[in-house]
Amino acid sequence: NLDEGTPNRFVVCQGSEMVLSLTADYIQFLANFIRDQHLGQYVQHDVIYRLRDQFTGIVMAEYHIDANHAMYDGSGAILHFFADVIGEHNYNLTAEYEGLACEMTLLPLTINVVGGPVVNVTGNNVICAGDTARLTANAYYTNTALGEYSYLANGLGFKYIWSDNPNDTLDVNTKKVTEDGQYMVVVFDSVSACTADAEFSVVTFGGDLQVTA
């Protein structure tokens, strides 16, 4: 959500859909601000909110609010766009009365787009019946230039979900298994919401267990 006085800085995964919400209270604040810029008069034009790239001026998203009612009906405003390019991007949220050549910058917005993590699983892929295999999910970022979020390269922001227990989200990256089968782990970055997954096969032999390929 975008609101007055809130630090508007986000970390997102490449390819994520950004949904930026302006609260109804903030819409009212902006309406009052725009009114004050026009000598206390509400101008009867639609208001267009835009998200502009500070460097290129390209409009990433925009939202129209009907001057007759939507500015005050409590609905707020929502802007959608996709974060496709890795790196830190600076934007301005602007407002303009449609038909008037006056676009005002309301607040800045910084989005750090990071590439998804990479994960692989290591461990014993062949064990004797009754023995235990210890699987380790190794998650990391190939892009180490993540600015203040570089700590994620050390795995400190990762959570792990294993296919044999999908309802448990773990802080640790290891798993002990005693049965043969195909195991999958999903790695979730709790800061940027990026995910990655990997599979690992375990084969048991001996006893009454059947060897699988």
Side-chain angles (χ1 to χ4, degrees):
N1 287 345
L2 301 182
D3 208 341
E4 179 190 8
T6 301
N8 295 304
R9 183 178 182 86
F10 306 92
V11 185
V12 299
C13 190
Q14 183 183 26
S16 299
E17 181 182 10
M18 293 292 297
V19 180
L20 306 179
S21 175
L22 283 73
T23 64
D25 287 343
Y26 189 49
I27 292 292
Q28 183 63 62
F29 162 78
L30 296 178
N32 293 337
F33 174 80
I34 294 171
R35 177 200 61 195
D36 292 342
Q37 301 305 304
H38 290 271
L39 303 179
Q41 299 298 316
Y42 284 108
V43 183
Q44 290 303 304
H45 292 272
D46 292 356
V47 180
I48 307 172
Y49 292 98
R50 297 188 179 97
L51 188 68
R52 282 192 182 275
D53 188 293
Q54 288 183 8
F55 180 71
T56 65
I58 294 175
V59 176
M60 307 299 298
E62 67 178 36
Y63 189 90
H64 290 239
I65 293 187
D66 191 315
N68 293 323
H69 64 277
M71 190 180 295
Y72 312 107
D73 69 357
S75 61
I78 298 177
L79 296 89
H80 296 259
F81 74 102
F82 286 91
D84 294 325
V85 181
I86 291 176
E88 185 170 279
H89 304 273
N90 297 307
Y91 303 99
N92 285 326
L93 177 67
T94 68
E96 177 186 359
Y97 278 120
E98 191 170 24
L100 302 179
C102 180
E103 185 176 47
M104 292 173 289
T105 297
L106 303 174
L107 56 83
L109 172 70
T110 298
I111 298 176
N112 195 350
V113 181
V114 299
V118 176
V119 60
N120 58 65
V121 180
T122 58
N124 297 327
N125 61 341
V126 179
I127 60 174
C128 295
D131 286 350
T132 299
R134 182 184 179 91
L135 309 183
T136 301
N138 305 292
Y140 57 94
Y141 278 103
T142 56
N143 174 18
T144 57
L146 298 180
E148 66 188 87
Y149 303 99
S150 61
Y151 73 89
L152 293 176
N154 298 318
L156 299 180
F158 291 135
K159 306 290 184 181
Y160 303 87
I161 303 173
W162 294 87
S163 57
D164 63 331
N165 202 351
N167 293 322
D168 281 349
T169 301
L170 307 175
D171 293 322
V172 295
N173 64 335
T174 58
K175 178 77 172 178
K176 293 180 179 180
V177 299
T178 58
E179 298 181 356
D180 59 354
Q182 189 88 354
Y183 294 87
M184 184 177 75
V185 62
V186 175
V187 175
F188 174 78
D189 176 359
S190 58
V191 176
S192 69
C194 297
T195 62
D197 60 72
E199 294 184 344
F200 190 85
S201 294
V202 175
V203 175
T204 62
F205 68 92
D208 298 327
L209 295 178
Q210 182 180 356
V211 177
T212 61

